[in-house]
């Protein structure tokens, strides 16, 4: 399996954005590692027990990856057609899958051959899962039915036919082994009870349901479909609590973090949104293509995302390193004699001198420009200006970034503090004849980028107003100087002596000389 790493993208806070603890928590993930599968990644499921391997269902295969592996450690490939919904049992030893053939297969994770095969559906089985007792399997199919199967005997226990369209979502109860929730393209979400053999309640989602999810307390239910994510209160008979519309395309998947039960939703709009307990978006992960599936490991160590182009993207949580500080004793530096050794050596007449070339070291901003990190290079140049008061270096970096055509990218995505630093630099040097043109260009780009969010920051708005006032005053001064220059030209012309004007005229021709010539 070929793997590749994308370019690291630095996520900066937007202007006026409040950075909360929840936001910082979800920003603490490394750049994604990406693996290429054989088809669209339709399902990802983590094993509940260590080492928390995860099953990836794509095309006609189910691959099992380790938490840090970039190659599958186990593969199940005995499918004649597309495989669906590889799901672990609670002990992580068994795996159940559906298929386009209408068959349900039960695998031992340590083996390759199916232990059981359940047949009875007439169309593709899109969703499968274990009930919480671990002895039964529930499945949902495009034949509009849900069926429950007994693992030891392989027999079909119950069939539910209350849906009127494809069954595409399934969530078993972990507290009651006889309950499970399904979602269908008939726009409904139903909770079924094995004992009664019928549905206990029905919720109208309003759009084809792509995913259903139960909170650990099982008092709340999440359903996704269309652009909407809806939260239902099961204790009140399925009453709708919240309807979220933060995505602009179909929401295909959802999961809960194990820390504080934060809700994550993925969509065809290429975004994963993280909600806090008040269902406000606190973070956003951006991906290259539409998202079909998503799962998060226990303790939020790993986030795995599957996309329509067959790419599996995995993010690992960063761990803070404990920095050891020397408090008891200081390190002894080299003595002075080491530095002066050989400085006063005088070569003899017959000695051969070998000159060592002096290595040229690049400045920090030059290294960042060489690595195409234009935003960091601009920040470094501004620090140099503040530390050494050398605006020439900062302006040179700005002109180099502009020559590359990336000045707009370097100025975009900045927070209030860095934007204020840039505006202060522009205000200080905009009237220097050496720097006027690049400073005006920087000011124009900042106004174009942040004109919609400037009112959110009083300090930035105040700096821009000051810049406009200074430019207006300079314009009026230039007009007055032009008027004075015109007056001075008129005065100089009127004070010029007439003799000098006559001398400049052509000398008259003598008439006598003209007659003699005639």
């Amino acid at each position: 399996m070929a793997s590749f790493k994308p370019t690291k993208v630095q996520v900066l806070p937007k202007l006026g954005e409040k950075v909360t603890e929840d936001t910082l928590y979800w920003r603490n993930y490394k750049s994604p590692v990406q693996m290429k599968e054989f088809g669209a990644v339709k399902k990802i499921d983590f094993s509940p027990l260590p080492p928390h391997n995860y099953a990836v269902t794509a095309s006609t295969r189910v691959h099992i990856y380790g938490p840090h592996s970039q190659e599958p450690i186990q593969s199940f490939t005995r499918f004649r057609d597309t495989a669906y919904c590889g799901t672990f049992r609670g002990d992580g030893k068994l795996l159940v899958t559906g298929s386009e053939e209408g068959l349900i297969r039960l695998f031992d994770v340590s083996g390759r051959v199916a232990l059981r095969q359940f047949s009875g559906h007439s169309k593709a089985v899109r969703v499968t899962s274990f009930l919480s007792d671990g002895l039964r399997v529930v499945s949902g199919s495009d034949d509009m039915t849900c069926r429950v199967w007994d693992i030891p005997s392989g027999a079909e226990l119950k069939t539910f036919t209350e849906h009127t369209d494809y069954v595409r979502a399934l969530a078993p109860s972990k507290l009651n082994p006889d309950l499970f929730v399904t979602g269908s393209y008939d726009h409904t979400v139903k909770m079924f009870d094995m004992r009664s053999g019928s549905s206990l309640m029905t919720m109208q989602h309003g759009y084809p349901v792509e995913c259903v999810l139960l909170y650990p307390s099982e008092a709340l239910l999440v359903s996704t479909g269309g652009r909407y994510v809806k939260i239902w209160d099961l204790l009140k008979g399925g009453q709708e609590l919240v309807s979220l519309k933060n995505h602009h395309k179909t929401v295909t998947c959802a999961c809960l973090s194990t820390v504080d039960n934060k809700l994550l939703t993925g969509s065809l709009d290429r975004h994963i949104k993280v909600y806090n307990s008040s269902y406000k978006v606190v973070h956003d992960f951006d991906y290259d293509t539409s998202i079909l599936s998503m799962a998060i490991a226990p303790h939020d160590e790993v986030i795995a995302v599957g996309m329509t182009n067959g790419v599996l993207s995995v993010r690992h949580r960063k761990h803070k390193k404990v920095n050891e500080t020397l408090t008891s004793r200081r390190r002894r530096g080299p003595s002075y004699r080491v530095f002066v050794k050989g400085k006063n050596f005088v070569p003899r007449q017959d000695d051969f001198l070998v000159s060592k070339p002096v290595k040229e070291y690049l400045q920090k901003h030059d290294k960042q420009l060489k690595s195409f990190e234009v935003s960091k290079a601009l920040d470094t140049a501004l620090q140099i200006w503040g530390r050494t008061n050398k605006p020439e270096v900062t302006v040179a970096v700005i002109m180099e970034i502009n020559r590359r055509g990336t000045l707009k990218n370097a100025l975009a995505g900045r927070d209030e503090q860095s934007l204020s630093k840039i505006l202060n630099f522009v205000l200080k040097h905009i009237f220097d004849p050496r720097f006027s043109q690049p400073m005006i260009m920087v000011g124009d780009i900042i106004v174009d980028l942040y004109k919609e969010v400037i009112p959110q920051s009083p300090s930035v708005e105040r700096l821009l107003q000051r810049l406009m006032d200074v430019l207006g005053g300079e314009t009026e001064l230039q007009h007055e100087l032009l008027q004075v220059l015109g007056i001075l030209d008129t005065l100089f012309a009127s004070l010029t002596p007439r003799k000098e004007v006559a001398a400049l005229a052509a000398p008259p021709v003598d008439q006598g000389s003209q007659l003699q010539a005639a």
Side-chain angles (χ1 to χ4, degrees), residues 147-351:
R147 300 171 190 258
V148 181
W149 312 85
D150 182 56
I151 293 177
S153 64
E156 180 181 330
L157 300 178
K158 186 74 70 174
T159 302
F160 299 90
T161 60
E162 295 188 21
H163 283 296
T164 58
D165 208 333
Y166 301 154
V167 180
R168 293 293 176 87
L170 175 65
S173 169
K174 294 184 179 180
L175 302 180
N176 189 336
D178 293 321
L179 295 180
F180 62 92
V181 180
T182 60
S184 170
Y185 275 16
D186 61 7
H187 301 186
T188 63
V189 178
K190 295 180 181 291
M191 174 174 279
F192 291 101
D193 186 2
M194 278 287 297
R195 292 166 295 186
S196 64
S198 61
S199 61
L200 297 179
M201 62 184 73
T202 301
M203 286 75 76
Q204 292 291 334
H205 184 84
Y207 292 87
V209 180
E210 301 286 347
C211 177
V212 291
L213 184 67
L214 283 167
Y215 273 76
S217 65
E218 299 190 0
L220 298 177
L221 170 70
V222 180
S223 64
T224 70
R227 296 172 56 191
Y228 291 88
V229 178
K230 296 190 177 183
I231 315 296
W232 310 88
D233 189 347
L234 299 182
L235 299 180
K236 295 184 179 180
Q239 178 182 346
E240 181 180 331
L241 292 181
V242 183
S243 180
L244 307 172
K245 192 180 178 183
N246 298 102
H247 294 278
H248 60 270
K249 285 188 179 180
T250 301
V251 184
T252 56
C253 52
C255 66
L256 290 171
S257 68
T258 54
V259 178
D260 297 333
N261 293 325
K262 296 294 188 297
L263 176 64
L264 290 82
T265 58
S267 167
L268 296 179
D269 62 5
R270 305 183 298 105
H271 290 274
I272 287 179
K273 297 189 181 295
V274 184
Y275 301 85
N276 60 10
S277 56
S278 302
Y279 300 108
K280 302 294 182 183
V281 177
V282 295
H283 192 61
D284 187 304
F285 294 102
D286 188 11
Y287 290 85
D288 295 332
T289 46
S290 301
I291 297 169
L292 283 182
S293 56
M294 170 182 55
I296 187 166
H299 312 296
D300 301 348
E301 291 296 319
V302 182
I303 296 177
V305 176
M307 288 170 269
T308 54
N309 62 351
V311 172
L312 172 66
S313 176
V314 180
R315 295 176 184 263
H316 292 269
R317 170 167 288 283
K318 297 177 184 177
H319 292 281
K320 295 182 179 179
K321 296 181 180 180
V322 180
N323 296 323
E324 296 181 359
T325 58
L326 299 174
T327 55
S328 58
R329 61 185 181 88
R330 295 179 58 186
R331 289 185 179 179
R332 293 184 59 186
S335 62
Y336 177 73
R337 288 179 295 175
V338 175
F339 289 103
V340 301
K341 185 177 181 181
K343 293 288 185 180
N344 300 325
F345 177 76
V346 179
R348 298 176 184 176
Q349 185 176 2
D350 298 332
D351 288 346

Side-chain angles (χ1 to χ4, degrees), residues 173 371-372:
S173 169
S371 302
F372 303 101

Side-chain angles (χ1 to χ4, degrees), residues 305-457:
V305 176
M307 288 170 269
T308 54
N309 62 351
V311 172
L312 172 66
S313 176
V314 180
R315 295 176 184 263
H316 292 269
R317 170 167 288 283
K318 297 177 184 177
H319 292 281
K320 295 182 179 179
K321 296 181 180 180
V322 180
N323 296 323
E324 296 181 359
T325 58
L326 299 174
T327 55
S328 58
R329 61 185 181 88
R330 295 179 58 186
R331 289 185 179 179
R332 293 184 59 186
S335 62
Y336 177 73
R337 288 179 295 175
V338 175
F339 289 103
V340 301
K341 185 177 181 181
K343 293 288 185 180
N344 300 325
F345 177 76
V346 179
R348 298 176 184 176
Q349 185 176 2
D350 298 332
D351 288 346
F352 290 96
L353 296 179
V354 179
S355 60
K356 185 178 180 181
V358 179
K359 187 176 180 180
E360 296 183 359
Y361 293 94
L362 291 176
Q363 297 291 332
K364 186 177 180 180
H365 56 82
D366 290 329
K367 292 180 182 178
Q368 291 166 342
L369 286 174
K370 193 175 180 180
S371 302
F372 303 101
E373 298 176 343
V374 291
S375 183
K376 290 184 179 179
L378 182 56
D379 291 338
T380 304
L382 288 170
Q383 290 176 2
I384 292 174
W385 165 70
R387 189 170 60 250
T388 63
N389 198 17
K390 291 183 179 180
E392 306 88 15
V393 177
T394 306
V395 176
V397 172
I398 291 173
M399 294 180 69
E400 172 61 21
I401 295 173
N402 182 57
R403 186 188 66 82
R404 298 183 181 188
T406 56
L407 182 57
K408 190 172 183 179
N409 295 339
L411 293 172
R414 293 187 169 271
D415 57 2
E416 185 176 359
Q417 184 178 0
S418 63
L419 199 58
S420 300
K421 186 182 294 185
I422 295 173
L423 287 174
N424 282 321
F425 180 80
V426 172
L427 275 168
K428 188 169 183 179
H429 300 287
I430 194 168
F431 296 124
D432 192 328
R434 301 173 296 169
F435 312 141
S436 295
Q437 186 175 357
M439 293 300 99
I440 292 174
M441 179 173 56
V442 170
D444 289 340
I445 293 176
I446 289 175
V447 172
D448 290 340
L449 287 174
Y450 299 99
K451 59 185 177 182
E452 295 182 358
V453 295
I454 283 173
Q456 300 178 15
S457 173

